[in-house]
Structures are given as C-alpha cells and as structure tokens.
C-alpha cells in the first residue's frame, strides 16, 4: 500500500485554511513523515494518520515551519506506546535545533538520530541531495529497485513451480530456462520531496524519472524576484522541474499566505510542466501513489 497524505500546505505563515507543513508517505509497511511543522500532531488526527504508522521522520532543513512539530509528534508517539524504532534524518548543521526539539519531547522512544553532511543514501532506498536555500537543506528521494514480474502461464509451460521459481529468480536461469523468458521487467517506483530551494542541480537529480514529485511552489511567477531573494521556487519553476525530470505527477505545496487561491499557482506550473499531471495540494488531501509505469521492453 502506497499513498501520500498532505497534513499542511502553508509556508512561513499558516492561514485559516492552511496548516504549516507536514506530509506522510505510506510505502508498503513503512511510514515516512516529512517536515513536521507546528500543528502536525493535530493534522494527523484530522487526516486519520496514527502515530504508530510513522517509522522515519525526514527533515529537509531546520527552519521552524519544517520542524517545530517534532516534539509534539514524538511525545504523542510515546503516549501512544509506539515501540518500534523511529529514525530522524536531518542536515548535520541543524543538529543543535534537532537536539533541542528532541530534548523537550517526552522521553521513552527507541529514537535514532541520523544527521547527514552530504549527498547520498541515508537509509535503504532513501537518498538525499543538496538543495539551494538560505540554510543547509536537503531533498529526499525514495527508490524501489527495478524488478521482474513472473508470468504464471509461461512458468507452467516451462514446468517450473514452487521453490524452483525463487531459484530461477536468484540464478537468472534454471534447467535451460532463462528468467527473461518467463517474466517481464517491472520498473521500480520512485518518489521525490523537494522543499525550500532555488532551482538547482540537486533538485533535478531528486526529481529525475520519479512517479510522484512533491515540490514547493511558494511564489507565483509574477513574484519571481521574491523567490530569488528568499531562495524558493515559483510555480512555473516547479513545473519546469517536473517536465525536465519526466515526472508523472507533480504535487504543489508550501504556498505563501499572499495567495488565497492557489489555482493560479497550479495553472502556472501546468503551463510549463508539459504532460505532467499537476495537482495543487490542499490540507488533508490524500493521493494514491500513481500506478506503476508500464514496462518498456
Ligand atoms: Zn519553508
């Protein structure tokens, strides 16, 4: 089961209809909570997300709208009796802030802190790349390895069944039968989370070929000078990012409070996103993960 829940869509200033940031990706049995801003604990209740569903918390940077919800969420997990390990990923330069936030949370979790000081893999399938913001910031990318889907009729015709199927998958061939003859490629699914950045190579790297890209679009194209000044994306730049990455679905969020109606942001992103499906997220939206890409060969 894979889906994406939006807990909040506000940037620096929340509004009557937009909470600060917070996003939950449910990816098979694992729950990833990204950038929990203030109010995340209560938004989880509204969205029907249980604290037991969170296994990893990923912070892009330590500006308050991306992390001030951390102590509340951690304390709630203790109250709820969460007993599985909980991992927190964050830029190493933000360690003082993270330690302070963790320090005021109720103790008792099996908590593991993972600072990263450069790009690379930080957990199985989870990668970070450096973004361009006013303080050290990293985006995240989750990758499922490509695999193969076995074809039952071909397996039956080749006389392969039971434990021999696993043997064939591991070896690539068995008793004169090649894996390629009885299976088709299954492209892995990919997700990227790009917050608080000016356009940069790291953002492109994260977005490349993903099924679902969540990108900030703090400003409208008309306010590009503000986006440049504060190192954020405009909606059009988020569209550019998705198009260049051949992304399938782009979810916009992290809106400045100056835009009560975000359809203008969606339209500006769409205008530059080519074939990409563009969604302007609202608080408490939940999206199923896009269907798997068809195999190319
Ligand atoms: Zn922000």
């Amino acid at each position: 089961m894979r889906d994406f829940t939006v807990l909040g869509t506000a940037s620096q200033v929340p509004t009557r209809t937009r909470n600060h940031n917070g996003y939950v990706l449910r990816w098979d049995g694992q729950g990833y909570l990204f950038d929990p801003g203030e109010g995340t604990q209560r938004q989880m209740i509204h969205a029907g997300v249980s604290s037991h569903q969170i296994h990893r918390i990923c912070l892009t940077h330590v500006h308050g709208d991306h992390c001030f919800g951390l102590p509340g969420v951690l304390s709630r997990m203790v109250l709820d009796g969460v007993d599985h390990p909980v991992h927190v990923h964050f830029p190493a330069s933000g360690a003082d802030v993270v330690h302070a936030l963790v320090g005021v949370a109720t103790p008792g979790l099996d908590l593991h802190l993972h600072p990263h000081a450069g790009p690379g893999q930080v957990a199985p399938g989870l990668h970070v790349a450096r973004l361009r913001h006013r303080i050290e910031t990293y985006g995240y990318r989750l990758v499922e390895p490509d695999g193969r889907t076995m074809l039952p009729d071909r397996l039956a015709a080749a006389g392969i069944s039971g434990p021999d199927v696993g043997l064939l998958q591991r070896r690539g061939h068995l008793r004169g039968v090649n894996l390629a003859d009885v299976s088709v490629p299954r492209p892995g699914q990919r997700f990227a989370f790009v917050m608080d950045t000016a356009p940069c190579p790291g953002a492109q790297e994260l977005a490349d070929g993903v099924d679902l890209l969540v990108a900030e679009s703090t400003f409208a194209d008309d306010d590009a000078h503000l986006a440049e000044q504060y190192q954020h994306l405009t909606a059009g730049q988020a569209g550019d990012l998705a198009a260049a990455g051949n992304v399938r679905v782009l979810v916009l969020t992290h809106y400045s409070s100056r835009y009560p109606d975000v359809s203008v942001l969606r339209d500006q992103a769409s205008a530059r996103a080519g074939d990409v499906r563009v969604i302007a997220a609202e608080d408490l939206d939940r999206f199923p993960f896009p269907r798997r890409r068809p195999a190319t060969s």
Side-chain angles (χ1 to χ4, degrees), residues 21 61 65-66 196 232 254:
N21 281 295
H61 64 302
D65 55 324
H66 298 258
D196 290 34
H232 280 294
H254 195 275

Side-chain angles (χ1 to χ4, degrees), residues 99-127:
H99 288 153
L101 292 170
V102 168
V104 295
T106 309
L109 273 185
D110 181 9
L111 193 65
H112 302 260
L113 300 183
H114 305 278
H116 43 259
Q121 179 162 304
V122 295
L126 185 66
H127 306 259

Side-chain angles (χ1 to χ4, degrees), residues 217-237:
S217 57
T218 311
F219 294 105
D221 293 348
D222 328 61
D223 293 319
H225 62 289
L226 293 176
E228 201 178 327
Q229 183 179 346
Y230 295 108
Q231 300 194 12
H232 280 294
L233 296 178
T234 66
Q237 288 167 339

Side-chain angles (χ1 to χ4, degrees), residues 178-211:
N178 288 317
L179 179 59
D181 299 335
V182 293
S183 65
V184 289
R186 185 189 62 188
Q189 292 196 303
R190 299 172 206 138
F191 166 85
F193 186 80
V194 173
M195 282 297 125
D196 290 34
T197 185
C200 66
Q204 290 290 355
E205 210 178 290
L206 293 165
D208 185 42
V210 299
D211 299 284

Side-chain angles (χ1 to χ4, degrees), residues 8-218:
T9 56
S11 56
Q12 197 171 32
V13 179
T15 73
R16 286 170 185 272
T17 55
R18 293 182 212 144
N19 200 79
H20 270 145
N21 281 295
Y23 312 86
V24 174
L25 175 69
R26 293 195 297 174
W27 182 270
D28 306 332
Q30 293 288 302
Y32 297 79
L33 171 63
F34 292 92
D35 282 359
E38 286 171 65
T40 293
Q41 180 185 177
R42 188 154 187 269
Q43 292 297 94
M44 284 168 60
I45 297 167
H46 284 307
V49 175
S50 151
S51 69
H52 288 272
Q53 293 173 322
I54 306 300
H55 300 85
R56 282 186 197 278
I57 301 175
C58 303
L59 308 182
T60 57
H61 64 302
V62 295
H63 279 157
D65 55 324
H66 298 258
C67 65
F68 282 0
L70 190 59
V73 171
L74 296 177
S75 300
R76 178 59 188 272
M77 293 174 105
V78 175
L79 189 67
D80 289 349
V82 169
D83 59 5
H84 58 244
V86 177
H87 303 271
V88 184
H89 299 274
F90 55 94
S93 61
D96 285 353
V97 174
V98 172
H99 288 153
L101 292 170
V102 168
V104 295
T106 309
L109 273 185
D110 181 9
L111 193 65
H112 302 260
L113 300 183
H114 305 278
H116 43 259
Q121 179 162 304
V122 295
L126 185 66
H127 306 259
V128 297
R130 203 183 292 268
L131 298 175
R132 187 181 297 160
H133 195 44
R134 304 192 304 279
I135 60 171
E136 190 180 22
T137 301
Y138 291 84
Y140 291 83
R141 173 180 168 99
L142 190 62
V143 176
E144 174 190 39
D146 293 336
R148 300 194 72 89
T149 300
M150 306 305 288
L151 302 171
D153 50 337
R154 301 256 188 103
L155 281 170
I160 293 176
S161 62
D164 282 351
V165 177
L167 212 53
L168 173 61
Q169 283 174 313
R170 286 191 296 277
R171 287 187 187 166
H173 56 85
L174 185 71
R175 299 197 300 268
V177 177
N178 288 317
L179 179 59
D181 299 335
V182 293
S183 65
V184 289
R186 185 189 62 188
Q189 292 196 303
R190 299 172 206 138
F191 166 85
F193 186 80
V194 173
M195 282 297 125
D196 290 34
T197 185
C200 66
Q204 290 290 355
E205 210 178 290
L206 293 165
D208 185 42
V210 299
D211 299 284
L212 183 63
L213 167 65
V214 179
E216 68 128 312
S217 57
T218 311

